[in-house]
Amino acid sequence: MDGIINVYKEAGFTSFDVVAKLRGILKQRKIGHTGTLDPDAEGVLPICIGKATKVCEYLTKKDKVYQAVLHLGVTTDTQDISGRILEEACDEISDEALLEIIQSFTGRQKQIPPMYSALKVNGKKLCDLARKGIEVERKARDIEIFSIEALSVDRPFVTMKIHCSKGTYIRALCHDIGRKAGCGGCMEKLIRTETAGFSVGNAYRLHEIESIVKGTDEKGRQLSDILLPVDRVLTDYKKVTVQKDAEKALWNGGRIPASKTMTHMDFTSGFYRLYDTEDRFAGLFSYEEKRKEFKPEKMFF
């Protein structure tokens, strides 16, 4: 079994919990997720199965879209509402000033990861150190907030839609907005609504997947209906079809001269998806302009 399932991770599960449960449901050992979500967070978590696990590294690099609820006036040690309250303050900032502050976080910036995170410092997870009461210095990381839209302001809660780069901690963003607003803040709720072309609108919960596998799904769906092909997530790379006499080299992971393709375009350096004449996806190849040929980078089949 090879492919990708768009899973809706529910609150209370870790990303590893989802993988473990799917191993049992699908009777498949080779499964990987494409970027962790906090246990209290919900939303899109694409799961790669079989040979599709090779694509995990490409999916984790994609930008994300979240819907988050900021709780003004509360500062916690975890930067979300599940943590220990460190400080409570009165929320006196005007809506206009608050919205200006929120918008000021748009763009490229440095962000300090929270202590309660899975990042490692000197081989130790920050969250493990934090639980022991140990705080260490963290290096600020480069992130980008492409856009922030305040969907509603219902004091002390502010619901925001955030489009951001990989590696962005929404908890830290909520904390930083609250600090700049002068009253503190933490994340009340988080839903990842989009990542790598997957959205909540076509995500499946674990109980739905289990019903589909068992053949008891009320809608009559089958596993083939929700198991997406590997190349579904690689559409950022242009498609190239090889000629019949180059197929043996293609499937053996050999180099393919540009003259042995059926695709008419000016090739430039970069990655391409290569297919045989029956439109079967073989893998990602990089094009070398000097040699005018494709070199295998990641074979999927």
Side-chain angles (χ1 to χ4, degrees):
M1 185 188 304
D2 306 298
I4 302 161
I5 297 179
N6 183 15
V7 177
Y8 187 96
K9 190 195 87 64
E10 299 176 71
F13 291 103
T14 67
S15 300
F16 293 105
D17 288 338
V18 173
V19 168
K21 288 182 179 296
L22 278 178
R23 283 191 178 124
I25 292 170
L26 300 173
K27 310 300 181 192
Q28 175 88 18
R29 295 301 303 165
K30 200 171 183 181
I31 297 180
H33 66 76
T34 58
T36 57
L37 274 174
D38 289 342
D40 291 338
E42 302 178 33
V44 176
L45 182 68
I47 298 291
C48 298
I49 301 159
K51 291 185 175 68
T53 53
K54 294 181 180 181
V55 85
C56 285
E57 64 182 283
Y58 298 96
L59 292 184
T60 55
K61 296 176 182 177
K62 301 287 186 178
D63 50 306
K64 330 283 183 185
V65 179
Y66 295 95
Q67 184 169 303
V69 178
L70 161 65
H71 190 149
L72 290 169
V74 177
T75 302
T76 72
D77 58 349
T78 60
Q79 300 182 346
D80 64 16
I81 200 61
S82 69
R84 179 171 58 89
I85 294 177
L86 301 176
E87 187 178 354
E88 293 185 80
C90 187
D91 163 22
E92 296 180 343
I93 189 170
S94 69
D95 284 0
E96 184 178 13
L98 176 62
L99 294 176
E100 285 183 5
I101 287 172
I102 290 172
Q103 286 302 313
S104 72
F105 282 87
T106 305
R108 295 181 180 178
Q109 57 201 271
K110 299 279 189 180
Q111 185 186 69
I112 298 176
M115 273 300 301
Y116 281 87
S117 65
L119 288 178
K120 291 184 178 181
V121 173
N122 296 325
K124 296 182 179 180
K125 286 185 179 180
L126 289 175
C127 56
D128 292 339
L129 295 173
R131 292 188 188 102
K132 295 177 182 177
I134 302 171
E135 183 166 351
V136 298
E137 186 177 350
R138 288 96 68 201
K139 289 183 179 179
R141 305 200 305 176
D142 292 315
I143 65 161
E144 184 169 2
I145 306 294
F146 302 108
S147 65
I148 307 181
E149 179 184 358
L151 301 177
S152 67
V153 179
D154 184 17
R155 304 302 181 106
F157 304 112
V158 182
T159 302
M160 305 177 292
K161 179 180 178 181
I162 303 155
H163 179 195
C164 59
S165 65
K166 74 176 183 71
T168 302
Y169 283 93
I170 304 301
R171 284 182 288 133
L173 177 64
C174 288
H175 173 84
D176 292 343
I177 290 173
R179 182 175 56 185
K180 193 169 181 178
C183 59
C186 69
M187 188 181 75
E188 177 76 22
K189 186 176 181 180
L190 182 67
I191 301 174
R192 184 157 66 194
T193 58
E194 295 178 41
T195 182
F198 295 93
S199 67
V200 291
N202 52 21
Y204 300 89
R205 296 173 188 264
L206 287 173
H207 71 85
E208 291 181 287
I209 299 170
E210 187 170 19
S211 295
I212 290 169
V213 171
K214 288 181 176 179
T216 59
D217 180 52
E218 293 179 355
K219 297 180 181 179
R221 293 169 295 192
Q222 298 180 352
L223 187 58
S224 58
D225 296 325
I226 67 171
L227 188 64
L228 301 172
V230 179
D231 55 340
R232 159 72 169 73
V233 297
L234 297 171
T235 52
D236 287 351
Y237 307 110
K238 292 180 179 178
K239 177 180 179 180
V240 173
T241 302
V242 306
Q243 295 176 5
K244 190 73 177 175
D245 59 353
E247 286 185 342
K248 185 176 181 181
L250 174 69
W251 290 112
N252 285 335
R255 289 175 174 265
I256 308 293
S259 59
K260 292 293 183 180
T261 66
M262 300 170 65
T263 305
H264 302 292
M265 67 170 72
D266 292 326
F267 298 116
T268 56
S269 296
F271 290 99
Y272 293 81
R273 290 176 290 136
L274 263 62
Y275 294 74
D276 67 10
T277 53
E278 294 183 24
D279 205 34
R280 293 180 297 190
F281 175 56
L284 277 180
F285 285 63
S286 60
Y287 184 69
E288 297 181 353
E289 291 187 69
K290 200 169 186 179
R291 301 181 62 163
K292 294 190 180 338
E293 64 182 16
F294 293 92
K295 173 185 139 184
E297 293 292 341
K298 186 83 71 174
M299 297 297 294
F300 288 93
F301 298 101

PDB file of all heavy atoms in Angstrom, residues 146-180:
ATOM      1  N   PHE A 146       3.000  35.299   6.167  1.00  0.00           N
ATOM      2  CA  PHE A 146       2.570  35.845   4.882  1.00  0.00           C
ATOM      3  C   PHE A 146       1.349  36.742   5.051  1.00  0.00           C
ATOM      4  O   PHE A 146       1.222  37.766   4.376  1.00  0.00           O
ATOM      5  CB  PHE A 146       2.267  34.710   3.906  1.00  0.00           C
ATOM      6  CG  PHE A 146       3.440  33.793   3.673  1.00  0.00           C
ATOM      7  CD1 PHE A 146       3.440  32.509   4.194  1.00  0.00           C
ATOM      8  CD2 PHE A 146       4.556  34.217   2.968  1.00  0.00           C
ATOM      9  CE1 PHE A 146       4.519  31.659   4.003  1.00  0.00           C
ATOM     10  CE2 PHE A 146       5.637  33.388   2.770  1.00  0.00           C
ATOM     11  CZ  PHE A 146       5.627  32.089   3.289  1.00  0.00           C
ATOM     12  N   SER A 147       0.450  36.356   5.947  1.00  0.00           N
ATOM     13  CA  SER A 147      -0.733  37.190   6.206  1.00  0.00           C
ATOM     14  C   SER A 147      -1.359  36.793   7.533  1.00  0.00           C
ATOM     15  O   SER A 147      -1.268  35.652   7.968  1.00  0.00           O
ATOM     16  CB  SER A 147      -1.770  37.042   5.088  1.00  0.00           C
ATOM     17  OG  SER A 147      -2.299  35.722   5.047  1.00  0.00           O
ATOM     18  N   ILE A 148      -1.977  37.789   8.189  1.00  0.00           N
ATOM     19  CA  ILE A 148      -2.784  37.551   9.388  1.00  0.00           C
ATOM     20  C   ILE A 148      -4.097  38.308   9.201  1.00  0.00           C
ATOM     21  O   ILE A 148      -4.095  39.497   8.891  1.00  0.00           O
ATOM     22  CB  ILE A 148      -2.127  38.061  10.677  1.00  0.00           C
ATOM     23  CG1 ILE A 148      -0.717  37.519  10.854  1.00  0.00           C
ATOM     24  CG2 ILE A 148      -2.987  37.680  11.883  1.00  0.00           C
ATOM     25  CD1 ILE A 148      -0.059  38.008  12.137  1.00  0.00           C
ATOM     26  N   GLU A 149      -5.188  37.591   9.384  1.00  0.00           N
ATOM     27  CA  GLU A 149      -6.505  38.211   9.275  1.00  0.00           C
ATOM     28  C   GLU A 149      -7.252  37.978  10.580  1.00  0.00           C
ATOM     29  O   GLU A 149      -7.430  36.836  11.021  1.00  0.00           O
ATOM     30  CB  GLU A 149      -7.288  37.590   8.120  1.00  0.00           C
ATOM     31  CG  GLU A 149      -8.680  38.166   7.947  1.00  0.00           C
ATOM     32  CD  GLU A 149      -9.471  37.464   6.860  1.00  0.00           C
ATOM     33  OE1 GLU A 149      -8.923  36.553   6.206  1.00  0.00           O
ATOM     34  OE2 GLU A 149     -10.665  37.811   6.685  1.00  0.00           O
ATOM     35  N   ALA A 150      -7.674  39.075  11.221  1.00  0.00           N
ATOM     36  CA  ALA A 150      -8.473  38.960  12.438  1.00  0.00           C
ATOM     37  C   ALA A 150      -9.917  38.686  12.019  1.00  0.00           C
ATOM     38  O   ALA A 150     -10.588  39.549  11.457  1.00  0.00           O
ATOM     39  CB  ALA A 150      -8.387  40.235  13.261  1.00  0.00           C
ATOM     40  N   LEU A 151     -10.376  37.471  12.267  1.00  0.00           N
ATOM     41  CA  LEU A 151     -11.730  37.087  11.846  1.00  0.00           C
ATOM     42  C   LEU A 151     -12.792  37.625  12.795  1.00  0.00           C
ATOM     43  O   LEU A 151     -13.902  37.962  12.371  1.00  0.00           O
ATOM     44  CB  LEU A 151     -11.826  35.556  11.762  1.00  0.00           C
ATOM     45  CG  LEU A 151     -10.858  34.872  10.800  1.00  0.00           C
ATOM     46  CD1 LEU A 151     -11.017  33.357  10.871  1.00  0.00           C
ATOM     47  CD2 LEU A 151     -11.088  35.357   9.360  1.00  0.00           C
ATOM     48  N   SER A 152     -12.454  37.699  14.076  1.00  0.00           N
ATOM     49  CA  SER A 152     -13.397  38.242  15.058  1.00  0.00           C
ATOM     50  C   SER A 152     -12.654  38.670  16.314  1.00  0.00           C
ATOM     51  O   SER A 152     -11.604  38.112  16.651  1.00  0.00           O
ATOM     52  CB  SER A 152     -14.475  37.213  15.418  1.00  0.00           C
ATOM     53  OG  SER A 152     -13.908  36.115  16.126  1.00  0.00           O
ATOM     54  N   VAL A 153     -13.216  39.680  16.987  1.00  0.00           N
ATOM     55  CA  VAL A 153     -12.693  40.134  18.274  1.00  0.00           C
ATOM     56  C   VAL A 153     -13.846  40.082  19.267  1.00  0.00           C
ATOM     57  O   VAL A 153     -14.806  40.844  19.164  1.00  0.00           O
ATOM     58  CB  VAL A 153     -12.131  41.572  18.199  1.00  0.00           C
ATOM     59  CG1 VAL A 153     -11.626  42.011  19.575  1.00  0.00           C
ATOM     60  CG2 VAL A 153     -11.027  41.666  17.167  1.00  0.00           C
ATOM     61  N   ASP A 154     -13.765  39.146  20.199  1.00  0.00           N
ATOM     62  CA  ASP A 154     -14.802  38.953  21.211  1.00  0.00           C
ATOM     63  C   ASP A 154     -14.084  38.808  22.541  1.00  0.00           C
ATOM     64  O   ASP A 154     -13.796  37.713  22.997  1.00  0.00           O
ATOM     65  CB  ASP A 154     -15.638  37.709  20.875  1.00  0.00           C
ATOM     66  CG  ASP A 154     -16.791  37.489  21.833  1.00  0.00           C
ATOM     67  OD1 ASP A 154     -17.142  38.452  22.549  1.00  0.00           O
ATOM     68  OD2 ASP A 154     -17.320  36.361  21.888  1.00  0.00           O
ATOM     69  N   ARG A 155     -13.741  39.957  23.137  1.00  0.00           N
ATOM     70  CA  ARG A 155     -12.886  39.991  24.324  1.00  0.00           C
ATOM     71  C   ARG A 155     -13.255  38.936  25.348  1.00  0.00           C
ATOM     72  O   ARG A 155     -14.427  38.761  25.650  1.00  0.00           O
ATOM     73  CB  ARG A 155     -12.946  41.382  24.966  1.00  0.00           C
ATOM     74  CG  ARG A 155     -12.589  42.559  24.058  1.00  0.00           C
ATOM     75  CD  ARG A 155     -11.180  42.417  23.491  1.00  0.00           C
ATOM     76  NE  ARG A 155     -10.852  43.542  22.659  1.00  0.00           N
ATOM     77  CZ  ARG A 155     -10.008  44.534  23.022  1.00  0.00           C
ATOM     78  NH1 ARG A 155      -9.415  44.508  24.186  1.00  0.00           N
ATOM     79  NH2 ARG A 155      -9.755  45.525  22.192  1.00  0.00           N
ATOM     80  N   PRO A 156     -12.246  38.224  25.888  1.00  0.00           N
ATOM     81  CA  PRO A 156     -10.796  38.399  25.670  1.00  0.00           C
ATOM     82  C   PRO A 156     -10.258  37.581  24.498  1.00  0.00           C
ATOM     83  O   PRO A 156      -9.047  37.398  24.393  1.00  0.00           O
ATOM     84  CB  PRO A 156     -10.219  37.888  26.986  1.00  0.00           C
ATOM     85  CG  PRO A 156     -11.140  36.770  27.370  1.00  0.00           C
ATOM     86  CD  PRO A 156     -12.516  37.220  26.945  1.00  0.00           C
ATOM     87  N   PHE A 157     -11.137  37.083  23.631  1.00  0.00           N
ATOM     88  CA  PHE A 157     -10.707  36.197  22.557  1.00  0.00           C
ATOM     89  C   PHE A 157     -10.622  36.913  21.212  1.00  0.00           C
ATOM     90  O   PHE A 157     -11.497  37.711  20.863  1.00  0.00           O
ATOM     91  CB  PHE A 157     -11.649  34.996  22.443  1.00  0.00           C
ATOM     92  CG  PHE A 157     -11.803  34.224  23.716  1.00  0.00           C
ATOM     93  CD1 PHE A 157     -13.004  34.214  24.402  1.00  0.00           C
ATOM     94  CD2 PHE A 157     -10.725  33.530  24.247  1.00  0.00           C
ATOM     95  CE1 PHE A 157     -13.139  33.516  25.590  1.00  0.00           C
ATOM     96  CE2 PHE A 157     -10.845  32.822  25.441  1.00  0.00           C
ATOM     97  CZ  PHE A 157     -12.060  32.816  26.116  1.00  0.00           C
ATOM     98  N   VAL A 158      -9.565  36.589  20.468  1.00  0.00           N
ATOM     99  CA  VAL A 158      -9.390  37.111  19.109  1.00  0.00           C
ATOM    100  C   VAL A 158      -9.137  35.917  18.197  1.00  0.00           C
ATOM    101  O   VAL A 158      -8.167  35.170  18.388  1.00  0.00           O
ATOM    102  CB  VAL A 158      -8.191  38.085  19.012  1.00  0.00           C
ATOM    103  CG1 VAL A 158      -8.085  38.645  17.594  1.00  0.00           C
ATOM    104  CG2 VAL A 158      -8.329  39.212  20.024  1.00  0.00           C
ATOM    105  N   THR A 159     -10.013  35.710  17.221  1.00  0.00           N
ATOM    106  CA  THR A 159      -9.848  34.607  16.281  1.00  0.00           C
ATOM    107  C   THR A 159      -9.117  35.116  15.048  1.00  0.00           C
ATOM    108  O   THR A 159      -9.522  36.113  14.441  1.00  0.00           O
ATOM    109  CB  THR A 159     -11.213  34.015  15.876  1.00  0.00           C
ATOM    110  OG1 THR A 159     -11.889  33.571  17.064  1.00  0.00           O
ATOM    111  CG2 THR A 159     -11.038  32.840  14.925  1.00  0.00           C
ATOM    112  N   MET A 160      -8.027  34.430  14.682  1.00  0.00           N
ATOM    113  CA  MET A 160      -7.177  34.891  13.580  1.00  0.00           C
ATOM    114  C   MET A 160      -6.952  33.781  12.566  1.00  0.00           C
ATOM    115  O   MET A 160      -6.880  32.595  12.919  1.00  0.00           O
ATOM    116  CB  MET A 160      -5.808  35.344  14.121  1.00  0.00           C
ATOM    117  CG  MET A 160      -5.867  36.392  15.206  1.00  0.00           C
ATOM    118  SD  MET A 160      -4.212  36.800  15.858  1.00  0.00           S
ATOM    119  CE  MET A 160      -3.774  35.269  16.697  1.00  0.00           C
ATOM    120  N   LYS A 161      -6.823  34.176  11.308  1.00  0.00           N
ATOM    121  CA  LYS A 161      -6.395  33.262  10.246  1.00  0.00           C
ATOM    122  C   LYS A 161      -4.969  33.631   9.898  1.00  0.00           C
ATOM    123  O   LYS A 161      -4.676  34.786   9.555  1.00  0.00           O
ATOM    124  CB  LYS A 161      -7.296  33.406   9.017  1.00  0.00           C
ATOM    125  CG  LYS A 161      -6.907  32.494   7.857  1.00  0.00           C
ATOM    126  CD  LYS A 161      -7.836  32.693   6.667  1.00  0.00           C
ATOM    127  CE  LYS A 161      -7.425  31.819   5.488  1.00  0.00           C
ATOM    128  NZ  LYS A 161      -8.307  32.030   4.305  1.00  0.00           N
ATOM    129  N   ILE A 162      -4.069  32.654   9.974  1.00  0.00           N
ATOM    130  CA  ILE A 162      -2.634  32.926   9.818  1.00  0.00           C
ATOM    131  C   ILE A 162      -2.054  32.041   8.722  1.00  0.00           C
ATOM    132  O   ILE A 162      -2.176  30.816   8.774  1.00  0.00           O
ATOM    133  CB  ILE A 162      -1.891  32.655  11.138  1.00  0.00           C
ATOM    134  CG1 ILE A 162      -2.486  33.493  12.264  1.00  0.00           C
ATOM    135  CG2 ILE A 162      -0.398  32.930  10.980  1.00  0.00           C
ATOM    136  CD1 ILE A 162      -2.270  32.918  13.645  1.00  0.00           C
ATOM    137  N   HIS A 163      -1.437  32.677   7.744  1.00  0.00           N
ATOM    138  CA  HIS A 163      -0.731  31.957   6.675  1.00  0.00           C
ATOM    139  C   HIS A 163       0.760  32.177   6.936  1.00  0.00           C
ATOM    140  O   HIS A 163       1.242  33.314   6.922  1.00  0.00           O
ATOM    141  CB  HIS A 163      -1.135  32.520   5.309  1.00  0.00           C
ATOM    142  CG  HIS A 163      -0.445  31.857   4.157  1.00  0.00           C
ATOM    143  ND1 HIS A 163      -0.421  32.391   2.892  1.00  0.00           N
ATOM    144  CD2 HIS A 163       0.264  30.691   4.072  1.00  0.00           C
ATOM    145  CE1 HIS A 163       0.255  31.593   2.081  1.00  0.00           C
ATOM    146  NE2 HIS A 163       0.681  30.557   2.782  1.00  0.00           N
ATOM    147  N   CYS A 164       1.493  31.086   7.185  1.00  0.00           N
ATOM    148  CA  CYS A 164       2.880  31.241   7.623  1.00  0.00           C
ATOM    149  C   CYS A 164       3.798  30.183   7.035  1.00  0.00           C
ATOM    150  O   CYS A 164       3.350  29.187   6.458  1.00  0.00           O
ATOM    151  CB  CYS A 164       2.942  31.185   9.149  1.00  0.00           C
ATOM    152  SG  CYS A 164       2.307  29.639   9.838  1.00  0.00           S
ATOM    153  N   SER A 165       5.078  30.396   7.218  1.00  0.00           N
ATOM    154  CA  SER A 165       6.088  29.448   6.748  1.00  0.00           C
ATOM    155  C   SER A 165       6.206  28.287   7.711  1.00  0.00           C
ATOM    156  O   SER A 165       5.708  28.331   8.847  1.00  0.00           O
ATOM    157  CB  SER A 165       7.441  30.154   6.636  1.00  0.00           C
ATOM    158  OG  SER A 165       7.892  30.552   7.919  1.00  0.00           O
ATOM    159  N   LYS A 166       6.891  27.239   7.267  1.00  0.00           N
ATOM    160  CA  LYS A 166       7.171  26.104   8.153  1.00  0.00           C
ATOM    161  C   LYS A 166       8.016  26.590   9.327  1.00  0.00           C
ATOM    162  O   LYS A 166       8.755  27.579   9.226  1.00  0.00           O
ATOM    163  CB  LYS A 166       7.907  25.001   7.392  1.00  0.00           C
ATOM    164  CG  LYS A 166       9.368  25.305   7.096  1.00  0.00           C
ATOM    165  CD  LYS A 166      10.056  24.147   6.424  1.00  0.00           C
ATOM    166  CE  LYS A 166      11.541  24.425   6.207  1.00  0.00           C
ATOM    167  NZ  LYS A 166      12.330  24.427   7.449  1.00  0.00           N
ATOM    168  N   GLY A 167       7.898  25.897  10.437  1.00  0.00           N
ATOM    169  CA  GLY A 167       8.701  26.252  11.597  1.00  0.00           C
ATOM    170  C   GLY A 167       8.134  27.362  12.452  1.00  0.00           C
ATOM    171  O   GLY A 167       8.739  27.738  13.464  1.00  0.00           O
ATOM    172  N   THR A 168       6.964  27.886  12.073  1.00  0.00           N
ATOM    173  CA  THR A 168       6.339  28.954  12.853  1.00  0.00           C
ATOM    174  C   THR A 168       5.557  28.351  14.019  1.00  0.00           C
ATOM    175  O   THR A 168       4.765  27.433  13.837  1.00  0.00           O
ATOM    176  CB  THR A 168       5.378  29.780  11.983  1.00  0.00           C
ATOM    177  OG1 THR A 168       6.089  30.338  10.879  1.00  0.00           O
ATOM    178  CG2 THR A 168       4.745  30.910  12.787  1.00  0.00           C
ATOM    179  N   TYR A 169       5.792  28.865  15.204  1.00  0.00           N
ATOM    180  CA  TYR A 169       5.022  28.446  16.377  1.00  0.00           C
ATOM    181  C   TYR A 169       3.907  29.457  16.612  1.00  0.00           C
ATOM    182  O   TYR A 169       4.172  30.622  16.937  1.00  0.00           O
ATOM    183  CB  TYR A 169       5.921  28.350  17.611  1.00  0.00           C
ATOM    184  CG  TYR A 169       6.772  27.104  17.634  1.00  0.00           C
ATOM    185  CD1 TYR A 169       8.061  27.116  17.107  1.00  0.00           C
ATOM    186  CD2 TYR A 169       6.281  25.910  18.164  1.00  0.00           C
ATOM    187  CE1 TYR A 169       8.850  25.962  17.117  1.00  0.00           C
ATOM    188  CE2 TYR A 169       7.067  24.758  18.183  1.00  0.00           C
ATOM    189  CZ  TYR A 169       8.340  24.794  17.653  1.00  0.00           C
ATOM    190  OH  TYR A 169       9.116  23.657  17.653  1.00  0.00           O
ATOM    191  N   ILE A 170       2.671  29.011  16.459  1.00  0.00           N
ATOM    192  CA  ILE A 170       1.533  29.914  16.642  1.00  0.00           C
ATOM    193  C   ILE A 170       1.390  30.286  18.112  1.00  0.00           C
ATOM    194  O   ILE A 170       0.973  31.393  18.450  1.00  0.00           O
ATOM    195  CB  ILE A 170       0.234  29.276  16.099  1.00  0.00           C
ATOM    196  CG1 ILE A 170       0.424  28.878  14.627  1.00  0.00           C
ATOM    197  CG2 ILE A 170      -0.925  30.271  16.219  1.00  0.00           C
ATOM    198  CD1 ILE A 170       0.781  30.018  13.696  1.00  0.00           C
ATOM    199  N   ARG A 171       1.757  29.359  19.018  1.00  0.00           N
ATOM    200  CA  ARG A 171       1.738  29.681  20.455  1.00  0.00           C
ATOM    201  C   ARG A 171       2.645  30.870  20.745  1.00  0.00           C
ATOM    202  O   ARG A 171       2.290  31.780  21.491  1.00  0.00           O
ATOM    203  CB  ARG A 171       2.211  28.469  21.264  1.00  0.00           C
ATOM    204  CG  ARG A 171       1.189  27.374  21.392  1.00  0.00           C
ATOM    205  CD  ARG A 171       1.711  26.245  22.248  1.00  0.00           C
ATOM    206  NE  ARG A 171       2.742  25.467  21.571  1.00  0.00           N
ATOM    207  CZ  ARG A 171       3.890  25.112  22.108  1.00  0.00           C
ATOM    208  NH1 ARG A 171       4.197  25.506  23.322  1.00  0.00           N
ATOM    209  NH2 ARG A 171       4.751  24.372  21.440  1.00  0.00           N
ATOM    210  N   ALA A 172       3.847  30.819  20.142  1.00  0.00           N
ATOM    211  CA  ALA A 172       4.799  31.908  20.361  1.00  0.00           C
ATOM    212  C   ALA A 172       4.282  33.209  19.760  1.00  0.00           C
ATOM    213  O   ALA A 172       4.477  34.293  20.336  1.00  0.00           O
ATOM    214  CB  ALA A 172       6.151  31.543  19.750  1.00  0.00           C
ATOM    215  N   LEU A 173       3.615  33.113  18.610  1.00  0.00           N
ATOM    216  CA  LEU A 173       3.038  34.300  17.978  1.00  0.00           C
ATOM    217  C   LEU A 173       1.981  34.922  18.884  1.00  0.00           C
ATOM    218  O   LEU A 173       1.958  36.148  19.085  1.00  0.00           O
ATOM    219  CB  LEU A 173       2.433  33.919  16.626  1.00  0.00           C
ATOM    220  CG  LEU A 173       1.712  35.038  15.864  1.00  0.00           C
ATOM    221  CD1 LEU A 173       2.691  36.147  15.478  1.00  0.00           C
ATOM    222  CD2 LEU A 173       1.018  34.480  14.612  1.00  0.00           C
ATOM    223  N   CYS A 174       1.090  34.103  19.442  1.00  0.00           N
ATOM    224  CA  CYS A 174       0.057  34.614  20.348  1.00  0.00           C
ATOM    225  C   CYS A 174       0.694  35.275  21.565  1.00  0.00           C
ATOM    226  O   CYS A 174       0.257  36.351  22.013  1.00  0.00           O
ATOM    227  CB  CYS A 174      -0.869  33.477  20.781  1.00  0.00           C
ATOM    228  SG  CYS A 174      -1.983  32.868  19.481  1.00  0.00           S
ATOM    229  N   HIS A 175       1.713  34.628  22.112  1.00  0.00           N
ATOM    230  CA  HIS A 175       2.438  35.175  23.267  1.00  0.00           C
ATOM    231  C   HIS A 175       3.039  36.532  22.930  1.00  0.00           C
ATOM    232  O   HIS A 175       2.927  37.492  23.709  1.00  0.00           O
ATOM    233  CB  HIS A 175       3.530  34.189  23.683  1.00  0.00           C
ATOM    234  CG  HIS A 175       4.443  34.710  24.748  1.00  0.00           C
ATOM    235  ND1 HIS A 175       4.145  34.654  26.090  1.00  0.00           N
ATOM    236  CD2 HIS A 175       5.665  35.322  24.649  1.00  0.00           C
ATOM    237  CE1 HIS A 175       5.128  35.197  26.782  1.00  0.00           C
ATOM    238  NE2 HIS A 175       6.067  35.604  25.937  1.00  0.00           N
ATOM    239  N   ASP A 176       3.668  36.619  21.754  1.00  0.00           N
ATOM    240  CA  ASP A 176       4.345  37.864  21.366  1.00  0.00           C
ATOM    241  C   ASP A 176       3.340  38.988  21.087  1.00  0.00           C
ATOM    242  O   ASP A 176       3.598  40.153  21.411  1.00  0.00           O
ATOM    243  CB  ASP A 176       5.215  37.619  20.133  1.00  0.00           C
ATOM    244  CG  ASP A 176       6.413  36.719  20.432  1.00  0.00           C
ATOM    245  OD1 ASP A 176       6.755  36.559  21.615  1.00  0.00           O
ATOM    246  OD2 ASP A 176       6.995  36.164  19.471  1.00  0.00           O
ATOM    247  N   ILE A 177       2.196  38.647  20.490  1.00  0.00           N
ATOM    248  CA  ILE A 177       1.164  39.667  20.253  1.00  0.00           C
ATOM    249  C   ILE A 177       0.656  40.205  21.581  1.00  0.00           C
ATOM    250  O   ILE A 177       0.504  41.429  21.771  1.00  0.00           O
ATOM    251  CB  ILE A 177      -0.003  39.083  19.421  1.00  0.00           C
ATOM    252  CG1 ILE A 177       0.455  38.805  17.983  1.00  0.00           C
ATOM    253  CG2 ILE A 177      -1.196  40.053  19.416  1.00  0.00           C
ATOM    254  CD1 ILE A 177      -0.581  38.068  17.144  1.00  0.00           C
ATOM    255  N   GLY A 178       0.382  39.306  22.528  1.00  0.00           N
ATOM    256  CA  GLY A 178      -0.103  39.731  23.841  1.00  0.00           C
ATOM    257  C   GLY A 178       0.895  40.601  24.577  1.00  0.00           C
ATOM    258  O   GLY A 178       0.525  41.586  25.223  1.00  0.00           O
ATOM    259  N   ARG A 179       2.162  40.239  24.472  1.00  0.00           N
ATOM    260  CA  ARG A 179       3.210  41.024  25.136  1.00  0.00           C
ATOM    261  C   ARG A 179       3.292  42.424  24.532  1.00  0.00           C
ATOM    262  O   ARG A 179       3.393  43.419  25.255  1.00  0.00           O
ATOM    263  CB  ARG A 179       4.555  40.313  25.000  1.00  0.00           C
ATOM    264  CG  ARG A 179       5.703  41.026  25.709  1.00  0.00           C
ATOM    265  CD  ARG A 179       6.968  40.198  25.631  1.00  0.00           C
ATOM    266  NE  ARG A 179       7.326  39.880  24.253  1.00  0.00           N
ATOM    267  CZ  ARG A 179       8.332  39.092  23.910  1.00  0.00           C
ATOM    268  NH1 ARG A 179       9.073  38.530  24.842  1.00  0.00           N
ATOM    269  NH2 ARG A 179       8.593  38.861  22.639  1.00  0.00           N
ATOM    270  N   LYS A 180       3.219  42.498  23.187  1.00  0.00           N
ATOM    271  CA  LYS A 180       3.288  43.805  22.528  1.00  0.00           C
ATOM    272  C   LYS A 180       2.052  44.642  22.838  1.00  0.00           C
ATOM    273  O   LYS A 180       2.116  45.877  22.871  1.00  0.00           O
ATOM    274  CB  LYS A 180       3.439  43.618  21.015  1.00  0.00           C
ATOM    275  CG  LYS A 180       3.836  44.889  20.273  1.00  0.00           C
ATOM    276  CD  LYS A 180       4.221  44.578  18.829  1.00  0.00           C
ATOM    277  CE  LYS A 180       4.645  45.850  18.100  1.00  0.00           C
ATOM    278  NZ  LYS A 180       5.061  45.575  16.700  1.00  0.00           N
TER     279      LYS A 180
END
